[in-house]
Amino acid sequence: MPILEQSAVVDRPKPAKETLSVADTKKTDGQPKSKGQNKAPAESDGEDSVAIPARRELAKPSKPLCDECLKVVEKAKPVDLTYVDMTGGHKEHPHLGAKDVNGQLGYIHDETHLRKNPPKFSMNQDDLKSACSRRDNNYKMLTEQVSVDFAGEKEAMQKLGPENRVKIFCLVYTTEKGHENIPRIRETWGQKCDGFMTASTKSDPSIDAVEIPHEGPEEYDNIWQKVRSMWSYIYDNYYETYDWFHIGGDDYYLLVENLRLYLESEEIRTAANGGTYLPTGTETSQTPLYLGRRFAYMGDMDDIFNSGGSGYTINKAALKTLVVDGIPTHRPHAKTFSEDTMVARLFKKYGIEAYETKDENGGERYMPFMPGHHYGYRMPADKSKDWYAKYSINIKEGKDHCAKHSIAFHYVKQNSMYRLHALLYDLCPPGTA
């Protein structure tokens, strides 16, 4: 089946048969340019003959979307995927752009650098042996429940080929002080993303760090302004090349294979196509999707947002809505740390709500804590005294909390990044795991 979310870009190779692209979108000065606009008409076999286009049957997924999933999808309006220039000449926030190592504006990061130059896994062998030998709850969750879907990944590569897989851009935000965390990300999951960038307060090409100025001070209580500028930079420079975009802080771990397979699934392809039919590959519009770990703010089911901890994932339609429609008008000068709730409330103005991302067994795909925390966590009798219990929505306990093919974990600090990676990808020394 064709994949809806695959974006067509002029320098991306196209398959000989049916393209998997949404549309051949090209940058304009705010004016849409549709695919095939300048094509010559089909030749006629005679004076009175008429070219009849081939009929394409609309196919449904093998399983319909869950009721709650469909309700979310039906609230959102399809978005024309044509790029609209919002830069305004890069004269002011949030479209000021990025600075190079010399502090000069106009820098455009090569987001493929890490993919093309992946560093080796460099954890000290003695430390690795010690980390792999521990039998704590993190070990139990990653050996009893969570795994990378290697079989699914192999099958997808055989069926689609690398050029036709969905393209994922991974964004990590930090500050210069946090640069010490980035090498571990680059040596583990970061290099599996098609595009990768670290948004920071100082540019450093060696770790894919890019200085993106924003309105107001660089501080925790002003993350909303930082995120406004980051998303604007991503849209301005990478929108046309990528299909999906994932954002989070410098302490999340992403299982990229599992994320890619989820985005390529019939469920997500159908959801991004309006919720009923699978895409044909000829679509020029898309339903915005906003994926992550759903929380109910203070327990309010009318105020649901995706936790920023392990990050959230949006498609092209959602990114365009965020930057073109939402960011210019939704509290543009607010100073706050709660960027995740701000993004959710912005999206809600356009009918875009957090999609239910649990798997078929009710396991969560995006985790706000380390694997071991979820393995051992039990709901308290009085949920009002535990913020996590109050915010959570119909979660399971113990190892069943996490989906078998989980996507992301949070609070993965220092060598824990190496440890999780080693356990998931069979990198532990013999006899330790």
Side-chain angles (χ1 to χ4, degrees), residues 70 75 136-137 147 180 216 227 239 275 280 321 339 399 412 429:
L70 188 58
K75 289 178 183 178
D136 59 3
N137 284 348
S147 65
E180 63 183 19
V227 167
Y239 171 80
T280 63
T321 301
E339 64 86 17
K399 73 174 186 178
V412 186

Side-chain angles (χ1 to χ4, degrees), residues 392-410:
S392 292
I393 304 171
N394 301 324
I395 63 171
K396 291 192 171 186
E397 297 178 342
K399 73 174 186 178
D400 293 331
H401 175 85
C402 297
K404 179 179 180 181
H405 297 138
S406 292
I407 287 171
F409 292 97
H410 185 214

Side-chain angles (χ1 to χ4, degrees), residues 15-28:
K17 297 183 180 179
E18 181 184 34
T19 180
L20 303 181
S21 303
V22 185
D24 280 322
T25 55
K26 296 183 180 179
K27 288 189 178 181
T28 68

Side-chain angles (χ1 to χ4, degrees), residues 270-301:
T270 300
N273 194 41
T276 303
Y277 296 101
L278 288 161
T280 63
T282 61
E283 292 78 12
T284 57
S285 64
Q286 185 182 61
T287 299
L289 289 184
Y290 167 48
L291 313 175
R293 173 57 181 274
R294 302 193 314 157
F295 274 157
Y297 184 75
M298 298 298 291
D300 184 356
M301 290 298 291

Side-chain angles (χ1 to χ4, degrees), residues 266-395:
E266 284 192 347
E267 177 191 352
I268 297 303
R269 289 162 54 209
T270 300
N273 194 41
T276 303
Y277 296 101
L278 288 161
T280 63
T282 61
E283 292 78 12
T284 57
S285 64
Q286 185 182 61
T287 299
L289 289 184
Y290 167 48
L291 313 175
R293 173 57 181 274
R294 302 193 314 157
F295 274 157
Y297 184 75
M298 298 298 291
D300 184 356
M301 290 298 291
D302 292 323
D303 193 3
I304 294 177
F305 67 101
N306 281 328
S307 168
S310 57
Y312 52 90
T313 313
I314 59 177
N315 62 359
K316 291 172 76 74
L319 176 59
K320 183 178 179 181
T321 301
L322 178 64
V323 176
V324 175
D325 300 318
I327 282 179
T329 60
H330 184 76
R331 303 192 65 186
H333 306 293
K335 182 181 176 184
T336 177
F337 68 89
S338 56
E339 64 86 17
D340 47 9
T341 59
M342 293 287 277
V343 167
R345 290 165 185 169
L346 180 160
F347 274 146
K348 195 168 185 178
K349 291 169 62 176
Y350 301 94
I352 304 167
E353 297 185 0
Y355 186 84
E356 173 60 273
T357 56
K358 291 185 177 74
D359 72 3
E360 63 276 11
N361 298 314
E364 299 284 355
R365 286 187 166 94
Y366 294 77
M367 260 54 68
F369 300 109
M370 285 273 283
H373 176 92
H374 296 292
Y375 190 94
Y377 181 80
R378 298 296 182 269
M379 297 285 280
D382 184 357
K383 295 182 181 179
S384 66
K385 296 181 179 179
D386 182 338
W387 77 265
Y388 177 60
K390 185 188 299 184
Y391 277 54
S392 292
I393 304 171
N394 301 324
I395 63 171

Side-chain angles (χ1 to χ4, degrees), residues 124-394:
N124 176 278
Q125 284 299 301
D126 289 337
D127 291 340
L128 180 61
K129 184 175 181 180
S130 174
C132 289
S133 298
R134 296 203 304 272
R135 297 298 184 260
D136 59 3
N137 284 348
N138 289 307
Y139 174 88
K140 292 174 183 177
M141 183 64 89
L142 297 185
T143 56
E144 297 175 14
Q145 178 70 355
V146 175
S147 65
V148 178
D149 189 359
F150 293 114
E153 177 71 7
K154 182 179 180 180
E155 181 181 359
M157 288 295 286
Q158 291 174 342
K159 285 185 176 181
L160 299 173
E163 70 279 5
N164 292 325
R165 306 293 302 278
V166 296
K167 301 298 185 286
I168 302 171
F169 190 105
C170 301
L171 176 62
V172 171
Y173 57 85
T174 190
T175 63
E176 183 179 2
K177 185 178 179 180
H179 282 191
E180 63 183 19
N181 300 320
I182 306 305
R184 296 181 184 88
I185 293 175
R186 297 179 77 253
E187 291 176 25
T188 56
W189 63 265
Q191 58 191 259
K192 296 176 180 292
C193 303
D194 300 287
F196 178 85
M197 188 183 85
T198 301
S200 183
T201 54
K202 184 177 179 61
S203 289
D204 182 349
S206 71
I207 58 168
D208 303 287
V210 180
E211 180 182 353
I212 301 178
H214 58 76
E215 180 180 308
E218 178 63 42
E219 61 185 32
Y220 179 72
D221 286 337
N222 197 37
I223 292 180
W224 168 236
Q225 292 300 328
K226 187 181 183 83
V227 167
R228 289 177 76 246
S229 292
M230 286 190 298
W231 276 130
S232 297
Y233 182 79
I234 297 302
Y235 174 80
D236 293 343
N237 294 288
Y238 310 110
Y239 171 80
E240 295 185 285
T241 307
Y242 296 89
D243 309 303
W244 290 87
F245 306 84
H246 186 90
I247 184 175
D250 60 10
D251 61 350
Y252 78 91
Y253 183 92
L254 194 67
L255 286 78
V256 180
E257 291 91 346
N258 290 355
L259 173 59
R260 198 186 311 276
L261 289 168
Y262 180 51
L263 301 178
E264 291 173 344
S265 69
E266 284 192 347
E267 177 191 352
I268 297 303
R269 289 162 54 209
T270 300
N273 194 41
T276 303
Y277 296 101
L278 288 161
T280 63
T282 61
E283 292 78 12
T284 57
S285 64
Q286 185 182 61
T287 299
L289 289 184
Y290 167 48
L291 313 175
R293 173 57 181 274
R294 302 193 314 157
F295 274 157
Y297 184 75
M298 298 298 291
D300 184 356
M301 290 298 291
D302 292 323
D303 193 3
I304 294 177
F305 67 101
N306 281 328
S307 168
S310 57
Y312 52 90
T313 313
I314 59 177
N315 62 359
K316 291 172 76 74
L319 176 59
K320 183 178 179 181
T321 301
L322 178 64
V323 176
V324 175
D325 300 318
I327 282 179
T329 60
H330 184 76
R331 303 192 65 186
H333 306 293
K335 182 181 176 184
T336 177
F337 68 89
S338 56
E339 64 86 17
D340 47 9
T341 59
M342 293 287 277
V343 167
R345 290 165 185 169
L346 180 160
F347 274 146
K348 195 168 185 178
K349 291 169 62 176
Y350 301 94
I352 304 167
E353 297 185 0
Y355 186 84
E356 173 60 273
T357 56
K358 291 185 177 74
D359 72 3
E360 63 276 11
N361 298 314
E364 299 284 355
R365 286 187 166 94
Y366 294 77
M367 260 54 68
F369 300 109
M370 285 273 283
H373 176 92
H374 296 292
Y375 190 94
Y377 181 80
R378 298 296 182 269
M379 297 285 280
D382 184 357
K383 295 182 181 179
S384 66
K385 296 181 179 179
D386 182 338
W387 77 265
Y388 177 60
K390 185 188 299 184
Y391 277 54
S392 292
I393 304 171
N394 301 324

Side-chain angles (χ1 to χ4, degrees), residues 31-51:
Q31 299 299 318
K33 183 173 182 180
S34 301
K35 181 180 178 180
Q37 182 176 330
N38 300 319
K39 263 186 189 175
E43 281 191 23
S44 169
D45 291 332
E47 188 177 355
D48 300 319
S49 65
V50 177

